Amino acid sequence: MTPELYWLAIFIIMIYVGGIWWLSRRLKPDENLLKVIDSLQKLSPSLNERLDNAAHYISQVAKEVGQMNELGRSMRELQIFLQSPKLRGNIGEQVLKDLIAQSFPKSSFYLQYSFKSGDKVDAAIITSAGILPIDSKFPLENFRKMTTAETKLERSEAKKEFSRDVKKHIEAISKKYILPEEGTLDLAIMYIPSEAVYHEIAGTPELLEYAKAHRIYPVSPNTLYLVLQS
């Protein structure tokens, strides 16, 4: 029972008992019993109705609390799920595949496109000028530390680590997938599945310059289609 309902029940009982005490003081002994019984009979339906309503309300609150607990448990499970870099990567790749499949005919792209080295890029768009490689990267670990850090120093250190993560991804995509000798364009797209992570990258001039120098263009779910069309 919530504190509000607890005190409401006490208040109702106090009024009820007080009323009986007042009647017993005001009436004659012979009348007391009859009047008290009559009062009990009159108050009983009203009190029962209030108690029924309170019980129904408590039941609803308990149900909602149970739903909130279930939601909280699901969110914790999702957080644990996303702690695995491999699973995060799988999610990013799947979302990327769905976005491309919804935007382009099947004949205009490949998924898990293989190069001679054996490396596979998540997607390759076929254009008249050549193959456009698109690889999904999800640098979430240090981004989470950066956004949840309690001190300025911790945030600064996490941001440095986040920048290192992003630069490593940029270097890997540039080295493995920009291969004009195998028919690719002289550029590639780094797909970031999280809008929050993407905006952190887009809002960091150093990272944008680093990506540009390596001919890599970061995109998010909201900007992927626009970039592909342009």
Side-chain angles (χ1 to χ4, degrees):
M1 181 181 293
T2 63
E4 292 81 0
L5 288 176
Y6 177 77
W7 287 111
L8 176 61
I10 290 178
F11 181 69
I12 293 172
I13 293 170
M14 288 177 64
I15 293 176
Y16 184 65
V17 173
I20 294 174
W21 178 83
W22 181 81
L23 286 171
S24 67
R25 297 280 295 179
R26 295 277 297 179
L27 299 174
K28 295 178 181 180
D30 292 340
E31 296 174 330
N32 280 348
L33 183 58
L34 294 176
K35 291 296 185 181
V36 168
I37 292 174
D38 184 59
S39 297
L40 285 172
Q41 290 175 340
K42 290 179 179 179
L43 288 173
S44 181
S46 177
L47 181 59
N48 287 338
E49 182 180 357
R50 287 181 173 85
L51 291 175
D52 287 343
N53 291 337
H56 177 71
Y57 178 75
I58 293 171
S59 175
Q60 289 297 112
V61 170
K63 182 179 179 181
E64 292 175 2
V65 168
Q67 291 174 344
M68 291 300 294
N69 288 337
E70 183 64 28
L71 177 60
R73 185 161 49 252
S74 297
M75 291 301 294
R76 287 192 297 272
E77 290 173 354
L78 177 60
Q79 290 175 349
I80 294 173
F81 180 81
L82 290 177
Q83 286 177 0
S84 167
K86 182 175 179 58
L87 292 176
R88 287 202 305 269
N90 290 340
I91 293 174
E93 292 171 14
Q94 187 58 51
V95 174
L96 174 61
K97 294 174 184 178
D98 292 342
L99 287 172
I100 293 176
Q102 292 172 14
S103 304
F104 298 93
K106 291 183 178 180
S107 59
S108 66
F109 68 89
Y110 294 100
L111 299 176
Q112 294 299 313
Y113 183 83
S114 295
F115 292 94
K116 292 179 181 179
S117 62
D119 292 323
K120 292 183 179 181
V121 69
D122 291 328
I125 305 295
I126 309 302
T127 75
S128 58
I131 298 170
L132 174 61
I134 305 176
D135 204 55
S136 175
K137 298 298 180 185
F138 207 157
L140 184 64
E141 194 65 34
N142 284 304
F143 175 80
R144 185 191 291 117
K145 292 179 181 179
M146 182 177 65
T147 55
T148 59
E150 296 182 356
T151 68
K152 185 176 181 180
L153 178 60
E154 290 175 342
R155 285 192 295 273
S156 177
E157 289 300 318
K159 185 175 178 64
K160 290 178 182 178
E161 293 298 323
F162 172 75
S163 294
R164 291 191 188 101
D165 291 343
V166 174
K167 288 179 179 180
K168 287 179 181 178
H169 290 322
I170 290 172
E171 292 167 2
I173 293 173
S174 177
K175 181 180 179 180
K176 294 193 295 185
Y177 306 134
I178 299 180
L179 302 170
E181 65 274 16
E182 292 190 37
T184 72
L185 297 173
D186 193 29
L187 59 92
I189 289 177
M190 181 171 68
Y191 171 73
I192 310 296
S194 167
E195 292 292 336
V197 176
Y198 166 76
H199 284 296
E200 180 63 31
I201 296 173
T204 306
E206 177 191 357
L207 291 178
L208 289 181
E209 287 298 320
Y210 196 81
K212 182 179 179 182
H214 286 75
R215 304 179 305 285
I216 302 297
Y217 292 84
V219 300
S220 70
N222 288 337
T223 60
L224 172 63
Y225 183 77
L226 294 176
V227 170
L228 292 177
Q229 290 301 310
S230 65

